[in-house]
């Protein structure tokens, strides 16, 4: 919650709700109901589950991870959401949410608002695709906080100079040309994405600015300087976040969200015969 506020989320905006999922029991209750209308095969095809199970083996994978997309569907459907900002790696979960909602609406009538399809989501949020920042060491995979070494990930609480070293050590290539080319220059492309985000620019604009640059060291220094500036500013803001204001926002939002979520849950319970 502190991080969201430090990143600019305004606590005084009554249209914004910041709440702890575990303080709204309808999330887990609706998940149990939706499980009865979701196929085992659908869940087994989810990319994140397949990747984790292939890496760790079935014996190390929890039912919770297997069932996570249904919980995410509940998170969305409880609040009648049409638009859901998700990264590229979450679009599959958005699609299964739509499938579950349409399936239950067909069987029980108007139960859920069906979120807009992925293409319309991207159009609404002004992007042609979901964003996925890549690992600095291995730009073929996404940057993930579960990375065991931490070398390929920039954490918001990283010492800015430690983050600089990570950028300067990022994997690139031997082409000696700074281009936005995901297929042939994934490492360079990833650094351009990061630079564009921090400058509130577009990758295309950054690419034009850097056109003709051949020194990867100079390019990385530009990116590293932006990362250091961002982290220094962000971490300073984080120290000014007021605990009591955050807690007050959480509690007021949780009260409001319980009302909305319980209304949706009751509608579903009645439809499947659990309430009169």
């Amino acid at each position: 919650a502190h991080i969201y506020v430090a990143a600019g989320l305004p606590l005084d905006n009554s249209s914004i709700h910041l709440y702890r999922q575990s303080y709204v029991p309808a999330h887990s209750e609706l998940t149990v109901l939706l499980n009865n209308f979701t196929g085992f095969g659908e869940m087994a095809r989810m990319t994140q589950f397949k990747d984790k199970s292939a890496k760790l083996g079935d014996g190390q994978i929890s039912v919770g991870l297997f069932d996570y997309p249904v919980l995410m569907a509940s998170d969305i459907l409880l609040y009648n959401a049409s638009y859901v900002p998700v990264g590229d790696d979450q679009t599959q979960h958005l699609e299964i949410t739509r499938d579950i909602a349409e399936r239950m609406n067909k069987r029980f009538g108007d139960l859920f608002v069906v979120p807009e399809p992925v293409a319309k989501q991207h159009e609404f949020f002004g992007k042609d695709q979901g964003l996925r920042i890549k690992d600095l060491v291995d730009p073929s995979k996404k940057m993930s906080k579960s990375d065991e070494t931490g070398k390929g990930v920039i954490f918001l609480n990283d010492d800015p100079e430690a983050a600089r070293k990570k950028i300067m050590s990022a994997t690139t290539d031997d082409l000696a040309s700074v281009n936005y080319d995901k297929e042939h220059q994934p490492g360079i492309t990833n650094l351009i994405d990061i630079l564009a985000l921090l400058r509130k620019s577009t990758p295309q604009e950054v690419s034009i600015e850097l056109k003709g640059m051949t020194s990867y060291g100079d390019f990385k220094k530009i990116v590293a300087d932006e990362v250091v500036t961002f982290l220094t500013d962000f971490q300073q803001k984080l120290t000014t976040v007021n605990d009591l204001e955050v807690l007050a926002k959480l509690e007021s939002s949780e009260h409001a969200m319980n009302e909305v979520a319980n209304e949706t849950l009751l509608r579903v319970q009645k439809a499947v015969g659990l309430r009169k």
Side-chain angles (χ1 to χ4, degrees):
H2 280 69
I3 286 171
Y4 280 128
V5 175
L9 189 74
L11 294 181
D12 58 354
N13 188 323
S14 61
S15 296
I16 290 175
H17 300 285
L18 180 65
Y19 59 94
R20 294 161 288 194
Q21 182 196 52
S22 58
Y23 281 60
V24 185
H27 285 259
S28 51
E29 290 190 55
L30 183 61
T31 300
V32 173
L33 295 181
L34 296 186
N35 279 340
N36 293 280
F37 301 92
T38 306
F40 179 90
E42 290 177 305
M43 293 296 96
R45 289 193 293 273
M46 294 289 105
T47 301
Q48 289 187 356
F49 169 74
K50 288 197 299 183
D51 289 349
K52 282 284 180 68
S53 58
K55 180 180 179 181
L56 301 176
D58 291 343
Q60 299 297 315
I61 298 298
S62 72
V63 175
L65 178 64
F66 181 77
D67 199 35
Y68 169 68
V70 183
L71 174 62
M72 185 172 176
S74 297
D75 296 343
I76 295 167
L77 298 177
L78 279 171
Y79 302 103
N80 310 306
S82 295
Y83 294 98
V84 188
V86 296
D88 185 41
D89 59 329
Q90 295 287 338
T91 55
Q92 195 179 28
H93 293 159
L94 183 59
E95 288 164 354
I96 195 66
T97 299
R98 283 173 45 80
D99 291 342
I100 292 170
E102 289 172 344
R103 182 179 304 146
M104 294 194 71
N105 284 356
K106 183 176 180 181
R107 180 162 177 177
F108 298 106
D110 252 357
L111 277 183
F112 297 118
V113 171
V114 180
E116 294 290 351
V118 171
K120 284 196 173 183
Q121 299 282 344
H122 293 162
E123 180 183 338
F124 180 78
F125 290 109
K127 297 183 181 295
D128 59 357
Q129 63 180 25
L131 182 64
R132 184 186 291 192
I133 297 299
K134 302 293 187 176
D135 187 279
L136 295 173
V137 176
D138 180 3
S140 68
K141 65 181 185 181
K142 73 172 184 175
M143 186 181 284
S144 171
K145 58 183 179 291
S146 60
D147 174 67
E148 294 176 358
T149 68
K151 294 180 179 179
V153 185
I154 301 293
F155 295 98
L156 291 175
N157 62 350
D158 272 350
D159 176 88
E161 289 306 316
R164 180 192 295 278
K165 291 179 181 178
K166 292 181 183 180
I167 294 292
M168 297 305 295
S169 300
T171 299
T172 51
D173 51 59
D174 58 1
L175 298 180
S177 180
V178 177
N179 299 297
Y180 194 75
D181 186 336
K182 293 184 179 181
E183 182 178 355
H184 299 105
Q185 295 187 273
I188 294 295
T189 297
N190 189 42
L191 293 175
I192 290 175
D193 276 332
I194 293 171
L195 185 58
L197 281 171
L198 295 178
R199 289 184 171 181
K200 296 181 174 59
S201 182
T202 67
Q204 291 70 30
E205 290 169 341
V206 170
S207 297
I208 292 172
E209 176 191 337
L210 300 174
K211 190 173 181 62
M213 179 174 280
T214 58
S215 170
Y216 286 172
D218 291 345
F219 168 55
K220 286 181 177 180
K221 185 178 184 304
I222 293 172
V223 181
D225 286 346
E226 289 283 355
V227 169
V228 167
T229 298
F230 166 77
L231 286 178
T232 302
D233 178 61
F234 173 80
Q235 290 170 8
Q236 193 281 323
K237 289 177 179 175
L238 195 57
T239 65
T240 68
V241 177
N242 184 291
D243 279 354
L244 294 179
E245 290 179 0
V246 171
L247 184 59
K249 182 67 172 181
L250 287 171
E251 291 176 346
S252 64
S253 293
E254 284 153 8
H255 177 76
M257 293 301 93
N258 267 295
E259 289 189 355
V260 176
N262 286 339
E263 184 178 309
T264 303
L265 177 63
L266 179 60
R267 188 165 67 245
V268 178
Q269 289 172 328
K270 287 181 176 179
V272 301
L274 294 176
R275 294 286 189 276
K276 291 184 179 180

